[in-house]
Amino acid sequence: MSDYRGRFAPSPTGPLHFGSLVAAVGSYLDARTQGGAWFVRIEDVDTPRTVPGAADDILRTLAAFGFAWDGEIVWQSRRGDAYADILNRLLEHGQAYGCACSRKEIADSARSTAADGGLRYPGTCRVGVPPGREARAMRLRVDDRAIAMTDRIQGPLVQHLERDVGDFVLRRADGLWAYQLAVVVDDHAQGITDVVRGADLLDSTPRQIWLYTQLGWPVPRYAHLPVVANAAGEKLSKQTLAPALALEARSSELVRALRFLGLAVPEELVGAGLDDLWAWALAHWNVNHIPRVRAISDPRWG
Ligand code: GLU
C-alpha cells in the first residue's frame, strides 16, 4: 500500500443520491488507483439536520454499490472530546476567541458581505466581548495574507481570509461543532493525504488550510470534483429534492457517475455487472479527464 489515504465524508441528511455517488466514486477511484487506503466518515455534527437512519442507509448503499472501505467508520458525533481539545489549545494561544455577536448584529454591521455573498465577520469581539455580553460562539482569528492553493482539478485559488470571510466559527452559538473544525481535526487524525470531494466546498478550503497552518499540521492535497446540478445550476441535494439511488439501477447509475467524471465508458459495458465496471474504471481512471468546472447540469434533473 502507498502513503495515499483518502476518504468519503457524507453528511447523513438523507439517503445517498447521484451527487454523493459521484463524490464517493471520485475519491474511491483516486485512492485505489494509487494503491491508497480509503476511509468513510459520517459527518453527523450538525445534529438538527441529521436524519435518523440515514447514515446506516448510506453505508448499506455504498456496500451494495461495491465500495469496500478500510478500517472502522468514524462518526463525528462521537468525536466531541477531540474537537474540544483542539479548540482549547487555540483559545489558550489566543488564536481563537469567544464571540457574543448575533447573526443579526453581524448582518447589520459594516463590511459584512463576504466574497461569496455570505456573511463576513467584521471582527467586533476580536478585542474582547463587550461588557454585559456573553461569549456564545468561538471564532478563529484570521489575517489578510494571501492563502494560495492549487487544486488538482480546479487549478489555482487565492483568498484573503480577513477581507473575504473574516474570523470564522469553530463552535457555533448553539454549541454545535462547525464543519471547518471537525473536518480538519478528523482528516488530520486519520492521516488523510488527499481530499477528493465536491467543488461546493472549494471556497471553504482556504479556511481549512489556515486552520491546518495554525495548528502546525501538514495540509493535504485537494481535488474538487464538479458537482451535479439541475438545469437551474443548483447542486443536487436533499433541498433540491434529489431522489435516493435505486438499488436495482446500480449498474446504470455507476456508468453515469463514471461518465460524469470524464471516463469514456464503452457502450458494450453498459448493463455489465458491478465487478466488471469497477475493474474497467480502475484501469481507466484519470484525474486529468475530469471536467475542470465547478458544476455540471445533468438533464435528468431539469
Ligand atoms: N460532509 C460534507 C458533505 O456531505 C463533505 C465534507 C468533505 O468531504 O470534506 O457535503
Side-chain angles (χ1 to χ4, degrees), residues 21 61 63-66 246-255 274 277:
L21 177 67
T61 308
F65 268 88
L247 286 189
E248 57 283 7
R250 273 169 297 176
S251 167
S252 58
E253 294 289 0
L254 184 55
V255 168
L274 292 170
L277 284 173

Side-chain angles (χ1 to χ4, degrees), residues 84-234:
D85 283 349
I86 296 301
L87 176 63
N88 287 336
R89 177 169 148 190
L90 293 164
L91 287 167
E92 276 161 24
H93 290 90
Q95 292 158 293
Y97 63 89
C99 168
C101 298
S102 67
R103 209 182 148 75
K104 174 152 189 340
E105 285 167 329
I106 298 170
D108 288 348
S109 66
R111 295 184 63 227
S112 66
T113 307
D116 63 358
L119 275 185
R120 172 188 170 276
Y121 185 61
T124 320
C125 292
R126 278 192 142 189
V127 289
V129 170
R133 299 287 304 272
E134 200 188 327
R136 297 159 66 240
M138 297 294 158
R139 289 184 184 273
L140 184 68
R141 220 177 270 282
V142 300
D143 67 21
D144 218 11
R145 82 190 65 173
I147 311 261
M149 63 178 286
T150 302
D151 188 84
R152 289 171 57 210
I153 299 167
Q154 306 290 334
L157 176 74
V158 180
Q159 266 183 14
H160 296 261
L161 289 178
E162 189 168 347
R163 184 189 71 201
D164 296 341
V165 180
D167 299 339
F168 60 88
V169 170
L170 301 176
R171 204 183 71 203
R172 295 169 18 177
D174 56 12
L176 295 179
W177 297 104
Y179 161 69
Q180 307 296 344
L181 178 73
V183 75
V184 168
V185 172
D186 287 345
D187 279 340
H188 177 72
Q190 293 185 272
I192 299 301
T193 59
D194 285 82
V195 172
V196 180
R197 61 184 176 191
D200 52 319
L201 292 160
L202 182 60
D203 285 329
S204 73
T205 307
R207 271 171 265 177
Q208 290 153 39
I209 293 175
W210 175 251
L211 184 47
Y212 279 105
T213 315
Q214 291 299 295
L215 291 164
W217 293 345
V219 178
R221 281 181 294 264
Y222 290 97
H224 283 87
L225 308 165
V227 296
V228 184
N230 63 17
E234 296 160 335

